[in-house]
Amino acid sequence: MKKVILINSVSEDVRIAITEDGKLAEFFLDTPDKERNVGDIYLGKIGKVIPGIRAAFIDLGFQQDAFLHFSDIGSSLDEYASIIGDDSDIEEDDEDEEEETTQPNYNRSNNKNPNLERGQDIIVQITKEPVGNKGFRVTSKVSIPGRYLVLIPFEKKIGLSKKIYNPKEKRRLRNIVKSTLPKGFGIIIRTVAAGQDESLILDDLNTLIRTWNEIQSKLKTSKSPLILHKDVSTTSSVVRDLFKEDISKVVIDSKKIYRDIKSYVDDTSPEFSDKIELFTSDQPLFDVFNIEKQIEESLQRKVWLKNGGYIIIEPTEAMTVVDVNSGKYAKHRDQEVNSLNTNLESAKEIVRQIRLRDIGGIIVIDFIDLYDDKNRKRLFEEVKKEFKNDRAKSTILPVSEFGLVEITRQRVRQNIIHTVSDLCPMCRGTGHVQSKSTFMNRMERWIQRYKGGNNGMSISIQVNPFIRNYLTEGFISKLNKIRLKNFLFIKLEEDESLALDEFKVYSKKHDKFITEEFDQ
């Protein structure tokens, strides 16, 4: 499989596309408006502690408190105490292997509630971006990723990526790190470290330790909430974490970004330097590699398949539902064969869309019904095979009797739709708005409840500009009819921030908005 990283810079935005055999597989957007927060380390203050849901809410200085589940609590309270002067005994290193990750693989079997109190300071790291009405998800099991290593303060373990298979190389890497790693630190050796010079690995280790020392210095003199460490930008993190041997080349259309990445790779992975290319064509980079069209497709509800079938992707609050349809495909007389072929093709496209859109949480796929158990098993194996290229952790259940495949997938960042688009101000994301007649009836019912008298004979109603035009058009406008019918003086004002089905009423007599007082 040929994998390529494409980096496109437009104004202040940087877009990163990862393609597999020419097809867009992953997409990242680095923009000042939507800052990346995953990996940032904070000194937070414990707010609410709710044992009933085994969680605490942490004040990080954002509008919404972050969510900390008890299973994500390590020894950060003890860590904070030790940094400011209360040293404790340190255990010997545990040499069990761990899977490569920017967050270490901890044992979550402890069901005891930790001793947390409101107002306590705690060191936490952001692991998931906010989704919908939910705030950041955080962990107190802090880790700092580098190019070859992941530093885990206070964990005292040396782990290796399971993708390093050579036993001799494992021993070499472990000995390099163990001979230099300061007491009280843990480390994970990443896949890309295999075969690298000792000097490069030690340079990476020293950089990570310096970073942690800077965090410690801030802790001794700072008050919460405070950011202690800002992780690298999206562009830098993609190069740091994803630029491996399976990447055939990195193509960049910005001279500045090209120089920065080239310098970084020359220092950390010089054997990859030849894979970095500066794009100099007059044509847009994403047009040349057919990326723009694929990004547009990733925003659509319907995605067409080559054989004439199509899939429908419907996100909801609780889950994402994917429906598979055969469309006009009827190549074989046997319906079972047609259904299987469409399902197998759709499985590849669905998994690609899940990765591309970064859909997380619960996913339910409604495949076309298959009656042969062998075909169901084949479909299930195809779905599992496609997910092997996915970096996010997922759990996939076999095809049910109803033709459904249920999946849970790790959610780290926002869905691509939320990244490249804003909520529709007209429909508020529902896709539907009230009809004009329904809006008129609702507004008139409000006025009937108000009915002037002691409430006052004059009001101002704020509506969307489109609704204002609708109410005022014509010689005898709908607004004038409402005025005459209810014996009220109504002043109509525009407010572009209001949706088509919203209105706000201001009373001059009471000098306040009174919309909710008469809204039932």
Side-chain angles (χ1 to χ4, degrees), residues 362-397:
I362 300 173
I363 305 166
V364 177
I365 306 174
D366 183 11
F367 284 104
I368 302 171
D369 289 341
L370 295 172
Y371 301 100
D372 191 327
D373 289 340
K374 291 182 180 179
N375 290 336
R376 288 186 179 186
K377 185 175 181 180
R378 183 179 172 187
L379 175 60
F380 174 59
E381 294 299 326
E382 183 68 21
V383 174
K384 287 201 302 181
K385 184 188 79 172
E386 292 300 319
F387 267 107
K388 286 183 179 179
N389 295 322
D390 188 14
R391 292 185 296 115
K393 295 179 181 178
S394 59
T395 302
I396 309 161
L397 297 183

Short mmCIF file of all heavy atoms in Angstrom, two decimals, residues 362-397:
data_model
loop_
_atom_site.label_atom_id
_atom_site.label_comp_id
_atom_site.label_asym_id
_atom_site.label_seq_id
_atom_site.Cartn_x
_atom_site.Cartn_y
_atom_site.Cartn_z
N ILE A 362 -20.36 4.91 19.32
CA ILE A 362 -21.09 3.74 18.83
C ILE A 362 -21.44 3.94 17.36
O ILE A 362 -21.98 4.98 16.97
CB ILE A 362 -22.38 3.51 19.64
CG1 ILE A 362 -22.03 3.29 21.12
CG2 ILE A 362 -23.16 2.32 19.10
CD1 ILE A 362 -23.24 3.21 22.02
N ILE A 363 -21.13 2.95 16.55
CA ILE A 363 -21.45 2.97 15.11
C ILE A 363 -22.23 1.71 14.78
O ILE A 363 -21.81 0.60 15.13
CB ILE A 363 -20.17 3.03 14.26
CG1 ILE A 363 -19.30 4.23 14.67
CG2 ILE A 363 -20.50 3.09 12.77
CD1 ILE A 363 -17.89 4.17 14.13
N VAL A 364 -23.36 1.86 14.12
CA VAL A 364 -24.18 0.72 13.71
C VAL A 364 -24.31 0.75 12.19
O VAL A 364 -24.77 1.75 11.62
CB VAL A 364 -25.58 0.75 14.36
CG1 VAL A 364 -26.43 -0.41 13.84
CG2 VAL A 364 -25.46 0.69 15.88
N ILE A 365 -23.91 -0.35 11.54
CA ILE A 365 -23.99 -0.44 10.08
C ILE A 365 -25.09 -1.42 9.72
O ILE A 365 -25.08 -2.58 10.15
CB ILE A 365 -22.65 -0.93 9.48
CG1 ILE A 365 -21.50 -0.04 9.96
CG2 ILE A 365 -22.73 -0.92 7.95
CD1 ILE A 365 -20.13 -0.55 9.53
N ASP A 366 -26.03 -0.95 8.93
CA ASP A 366 -27.15 -1.79 8.46
C ASP A 366 -26.83 -2.28 7.06
O ASP A 366 -27.11 -1.60 6.06
CB ASP A 366 -28.45 -0.98 8.48
CG ASP A 366 -29.66 -1.83 8.07
OD1 ASP A 366 -29.51 -3.07 7.97
OD2 ASP A 366 -30.74 -1.25 7.83
N PHE A 367 -26.21 -3.45 6.98
CA PHE A 367 -25.88 -4.03 5.68
C PHE A 367 -27.13 -4.65 5.05
O PHE A 367 -28.14 -4.87 5.71
CB PHE A 367 -24.81 -5.12 5.84
CG PHE A 367 -23.42 -4.58 6.06
CD1 PHE A 367 -22.86 -4.61 7.33
CD2 PHE A 367 -22.69 -4.06 5.02
CE1 PHE A 367 -21.57 -4.13 7.55
CE2 PHE A 367 -21.40 -3.57 5.23
CZ PHE A 367 -20.84 -3.61 6.50
N ILE A 368 -27.03 -4.91 3.75
CA ILE A 368 -28.11 -5.61 3.05
C ILE A 368 -28.19 -7.04 3.59
O ILE A 368 -27.16 -7.69 3.84
CB ILE A 368 -27.86 -5.63 1.53
CG1 ILE A 368 -27.73 -4.18 1.00
CG2 ILE A 368 -28.99 -6.35 0.79
CD1 ILE A 368 -27.26 -4.10 -0.43
N ASP A 369 -29.39 -7.54 3.81
CA ASP A 369 -29.58 -8.86 4.43
C ASP A 369 -28.86 -9.96 3.66
O ASP A 369 -28.95 -10.05 2.43
CB ASP A 369 -31.07 -9.19 4.51
CG ASP A 369 -31.79 -8.32 5.53
OD1 ASP A 369 -31.10 -7.76 6.40
OD2 ASP A 369 -33.02 -8.21 5.45
N LEU A 370 -28.15 -10.80 4.40
CA LEU A 370 -27.51 -12.00 3.87
C LEU A 370 -28.07 -13.22 4.60
O LEU A 370 -28.20 -13.20 5.83
CB LEU A 370 -25.99 -11.94 4.06
CG LEU A 370 -25.24 -10.83 3.30
CD1 LEU A 370 -23.78 -10.79 3.73
CD2 LEU A 370 -25.33 -11.05 1.79
N TYR A 371 -28.39 -14.26 3.87
CA TYR A 371 -29.05 -15.42 4.47
C TYR A 371 -28.09 -16.59 4.69
O TYR A 371 -28.38 -17.49 5.47
CB TYR A 371 -30.23 -15.85 3.59
CG TYR A 371 -31.24 -14.74 3.43
CD1 TYR A 371 -31.26 -13.95 2.27
CD2 TYR A 371 -32.16 -14.45 4.45
CE1 TYR A 371 -32.17 -12.92 2.14
CE2 TYR A 371 -33.07 -13.42 4.30
CZ TYR A 371 -33.07 -12.65 3.16
OH TYR A 371 -33.96 -11.62 3.03
N ASP A 372 -26.97 -16.56 4.00
CA ASP A 372 -25.97 -17.63 4.14
C ASP A 372 -24.99 -17.25 5.25
O ASP A 372 -24.37 -16.18 5.22
CB ASP A 372 -25.23 -17.81 2.81
CG ASP A 372 -24.38 -19.07 2.80
OD1 ASP A 372 -23.86 -19.45 3.88
OD2 ASP A 372 -24.22 -19.67 1.72
N ASP A 373 -24.81 -18.14 6.23
CA ASP A 373 -23.91 -17.87 7.35
C ASP A 373 -22.48 -17.65 6.88
O ASP A 373 -21.74 -16.85 7.47
CB ASP A 373 -23.96 -19.02 8.36
CG ASP A 373 -25.27 -19.05 9.13
OD1 ASP A 373 -25.95 -18.00 9.17
OD2 ASP A 373 -25.61 -20.12 9.69
N LYS A 374 -22.08 -18.38 5.83
CA LYS A 374 -20.72 -18.21 5.30
C LYS A 374 -20.52 -16.79 4.78
O LYS A 374 -19.45 -16.19 4.96
CB LYS A 374 -20.45 -19.23 4.19
CG LYS A 374 -20.34 -20.66 4.68
CD LYS A 374 -20.01 -21.60 3.52
CE LYS A 374 -19.90 -23.05 4.01
NZ LYS A 374 -19.60 -23.97 2.89
N ASN A 375 -21.53 -16.26 4.12
CA ASN A 375 -21.43 -14.91 3.58
C ASN A 375 -21.39 -13.87 4.70
O ASN A 375 -20.68 -12.87 4.62
CB ASN A 375 -22.61 -14.62 2.65
CG ASN A 375 -22.54 -15.42 1.37
OD1 ASN A 375 -21.45 -15.83 0.94
ND2 ASN A 375 -23.68 -15.66 0.74
N ARG A 376 -22.16 -14.12 5.76
CA ARG A 376 -22.13 -13.21 6.91
C ARG A 376 -20.75 -13.19 7.54
O ARG A 376 -20.23 -12.13 7.91
CB ARG A 376 -23.17 -13.62 7.95
CG ARG A 376 -24.61 -13.36 7.54
CD ARG A 376 -25.52 -13.66 8.71
NE ARG A 376 -26.91 -13.40 8.38
CZ ARG A 376 -27.91 -13.47 9.24
NH1 ARG A 376 -27.66 -13.83 10.49
NH2 ARG A 376 -29.14 -13.20 8.88
N LYS A 377 -20.17 -14.37 7.68
CA LYS A 377 -18.84 -14.46 8.28
C LYS A 377 -17.80 -13.78 7.38
O LYS A 377 -16.90 -13.08 7.88
CB LYS A 377 -18.46 -15.93 8.49
CG LYS A 377 -17.14 -16.10 9.22
CD LYS A 377 -16.86 -17.58 9.51
CE LYS A 377 -15.54 -17.72 10.26
NZ LYS A 377 -15.22 -19.13 10.55
N ARG A 378 -17.94 -13.95 6.08
CA ARG A 378 -17.01 -13.32 5.15
C ARG A 378 -17.10 -11.79 5.25
O ARG A 378 -16.09 -11.10 5.21
CB ARG A 378 -17.31 -13.79 3.72
CG ARG A 378 -16.35 -13.23 2.68
CD ARG A 378 -16.68 -13.73 1.30
NE ARG A 378 -15.88 -13.07 0.29
CZ ARG A 378 -16.05 -13.21 -1.02
NH1 ARG A 378 -17.00 -14.04 -1.47
NH2 ARG A 378 -15.27 -12.56 -1.87
N LEU A 379 -18.33 -11.28 5.37
CA LEU A 379 -18.51 -9.84 5.50
C LEU A 379 -17.87 -9.32 6.79
O LEU A 379 -17.20 -8.29 6.80
CB LEU A 379 -20.01 -9.51 5.48
CG LEU A 379 -20.39 -8.04 5.74
CD1 LEU A 379 -19.77 -7.12 4.70
CD2 LEU A 379 -21.91 -7.88 5.76
N PHE A 380 -18.07 -10.07 7.87
CA PHE A 380 -17.50 -9.68 9.16
C PHE A 380 -15.97 -9.63 9.09
O PHE A 380 -15.33 -8.70 9.59
CB PHE A 380 -17.96 -10.66 10.25
CG PHE A 380 -17.33 -10.45 11.59
CD1 PHE A 380 -17.47 -9.25 12.26
CD2 PHE A 380 -16.59 -11.46 12.18
CE1 PHE A 380 -16.88 -9.05 13.50
CE2 PHE A 380 -16.01 -11.29 13.42
CZ PHE A 380 -16.15 -10.07 14.09
N GLU A 381 -15.37 -10.63 8.44
CA GLU A 381 -13.92 -10.67 8.31
C GLU A 381 -13.42 -9.51 7.45
O GLU A 381 -12.33 -8.97 7.70
CB GLU A 381 -13.48 -12.01 7.69
CG GLU A 381 -13.74 -13.23 8.58
CD GLU A 381 -12.99 -13.15 9.90
OE1 GLU A 381 -11.87 -12.60 9.91
OE2 GLU A 381 -13.53 -13.64 10.92
N GLU A 382 -14.21 -9.13 6.45
CA GLU A 382 -13.82 -8.00 5.60
C GLU A 382 -13.81 -6.70 6.39
O GLU A 382 -12.89 -5.89 6.25
CB GLU A 382 -14.81 -7.89 4.42
CG GLU A 382 -14.47 -6.78 3.43
CD GLU A 382 -13.21 -7.05 2.63
OE1 GLU A 382 -12.81 -8.23 2.54
OE2 GLU A 382 -12.63 -6.08 2.12
N VAL A 383 -14.81 -6.51 7.23
CA VAL A 383 -14.87 -5.30 8.07
C VAL A 383 -13.66 -5.26 9.01
O VAL A 383 -12.99 -4.23 9.16
CB VAL A 383 -16.19 -5.24 8.86
CG1 VAL A 383 -16.17 -4.06 9.84
CG2 VAL A 383 -17.39 -5.12 7.93
N LYS A 384 -13.36 -6.41 9.65
CA LYS A 384 -12.22 -6.47 10.57
C LYS A 384 -10.91 -6.19 9.83
O LYS A 384 -10.02 -5.50 10.35
CB LYS A 384 -12.16 -7.85 11.24
CG LYS A 384 -13.22 -8.08 12.29
CD LYS A 384 -12.82 -9.18 13.26
CE LYS A 384 -12.56 -10.49 12.56
NZ LYS A 384 -12.18 -11.57 13.53
N LYS A 385 -10.78 -6.72 8.63
CA LYS A 385 -9.55 -6.52 7.86
C LYS A 385 -9.34 -5.05 7.54
O LYS A 385 -8.22 -4.53 7.64
CB LYS A 385 -9.62 -7.33 6.56
CG LYS A 385 -8.35 -7.28 5.73
CD LYS A 385 -8.52 -7.94 4.39
CE LYS A 385 -9.24 -7.00 3.42
NZ LYS A 385 -9.28 -7.51 2.04
N GLU A 386 -10.42 -4.36 7.17
CA GLU A 386 -10.30 -2.94 6.83
C GLU A 386 -9.94 -2.09 8.03
O GLU A 386 -9.25 -1.08 7.90
CB GLU A 386 -11.62 -2.44 6.21
CG GLU A 386 -11.94 -3.03 4.84
CD GLU A 386 -10.86 -2.72 3.81
OE1 GLU A 386 -10.36 -1.57 3.81
OE2 GLU A 386 -10.51 -3.61 3.03
N PHE A 387 -10.37 -2.49 9.22
CA PHE A 387 -10.07 -1.73 10.43
C PHE A 387 -8.63 -1.92 10.90
O PHE A 387 -8.18 -1.20 11.79
CB PHE A 387 -11.03 -2.11 11.56
CG PHE A 387 -12.24 -1.22 11.64
CD1 PHE A 387 -13.49 -1.68 11.24
CD2 PHE A 387 -12.13 0.08 12.10
CE1 PHE A 387 -14.60 -0.86 11.31
CE2 PHE A 387 -13.24 0.92 12.17
CZ PHE A 387 -14.48 0.44 11.77
N LYS A 388 -7.90 -2.86 10.30
CA LYS A 388 -6.51 -3.08 10.71
C LYS A 388 -5.63 -1.86 10.41
O LYS A 388 -4.60 -1.66 11.05
CB LYS A 388 -5.94 -4.32 10.02
CG LYS A 388 -6.48 -5.64 10.59
CD LYS A 388 -5.83 -6.83 9.91
CE LYS A 388 -6.36 -8.14 10.51
NZ LYS A 388 -5.75 -9.32 9.86
N ASN A 389 -6.02 -1.07 9.42
CA ASN A 389 -5.25 0.13 9.08
C ASN A 389 -5.63 1.34 9.93
O ASN A 389 -5.05 2.42 9.77
CB ASN A 389 -5.46 0.48 7.59
CG ASN A 389 -4.89 -0.57 6.67
OD1 ASN A 389 -3.85 -1.14 6.95
ND2 ASN A 389 -5.58 -0.84 5.57
N ASP A 390 -6.62 1.16 10.81
CA ASP A 390 -7.12 2.27 11.62
C ASP A 390 -6.28 2.40 12.89
O ASP A 390 -6.09 1.44 13.62
CB ASP A 390 -8.59 2.02 11.97
CG ASP A 390 -9.23 3.21 12.64
OD1 ASP A 390 -8.64 4.31 12.59
OD2 ASP A 390 -10.33 3.06 13.20
N ARG A 391 -5.78 3.61 13.17
CA ARG A 391 -4.97 3.83 14.37
C ARG A 391 -5.82 3.89 15.64
O ARG A 391 -5.33 3.61 16.72
CB ARG A 391 -4.18 5.14 14.23
CG ARG A 391 -3.11 5.07 13.17
CD ARG A 391 -2.28 6.33 13.12
NE ARG A 391 -3.07 7.49 12.75
CZ ARG A 391 -3.30 8.52 13.54
NH1 ARG A 391 -2.82 8.52 14.78
NH2 ARG A 391 -4.02 9.55 13.13
N ALA A 392 -7.09 4.27 15.52
CA ALA A 392 -7.96 4.32 16.69
C ALA A 392 -8.38 2.91 17.10
O ALA A 392 -8.56 2.03 16.26
CB ALA A 392 -9.21 5.15 16.37
N LYS A 393 -8.52 2.71 18.40
CA LYS A 393 -8.94 1.41 18.91
C LYS A 393 -10.43 1.21 18.66
O LYS A 393 -11.23 2.13 18.82
CB LYS A 393 -8.63 1.31 20.40
CG LYS A 393 -7.15 1.36 20.73
CD LYS A 393 -6.91 1.28 22.22
CE LYS A 393 -5.42 1.35 22.54
NZ LYS A 393 -5.18 1.32 24.01
N SER A 394 -10.80 0.00 18.28
CA SER A 394 -12.21 -0.28 18.00
C SER A 394 -12.55 -1.72 18.39
O SER A 394 -11.68 -2.58 18.45
CB SER A 394 -12.52 -0.05 16.52
OG SER A 394 -11.71 -0.86 15.70
N THR A 395 -13.83 -1.94 18.65
CA THR A 395 -14.36 -3.27 18.92
C THR A 395 -15.48 -3.53 17.93
O THR A 395 -16.38 -2.70 17.78
CB THR A 395 -14.89 -3.38 20.37
OG1 THR A 395 -13.84 -3.05 21.28
CG2 THR A 395 -15.41 -4.78 20.65
N ILE A 396 -15.43 -4.68 17.27
CA ILE A 396 -16.40 -5.00 16.21
C ILE A 396 -17.11 -6.29 16.56
O ILE A 396 -16.46 -7.30 16.85
CB ILE A 396 -15.69 -5.14 14.85
CG1 ILE A 396 -14.81 -3.92 14.57
CG2 ILE A 396 -16.70 -5.32 13.73
CD1 ILE A 396 -13.75 -4.15 13.53
N LEU A 397 -18.44 -6.27 16.54
CA LEU A 397 -19.23 -7.47 16.80
C LEU A 397 -19.64 -8.11 15.48
O LEU A 397 -19.81 -7.43 14.47
CB LEU A 397 -20.47 -7.11 17.62
CG LEU A 397 -20.22 -6.53 19.02
CD1 LEU A 397 -21.55 -6.29 19.73
CD2 LEU A 397 -19.34 -7.44 19.85
#
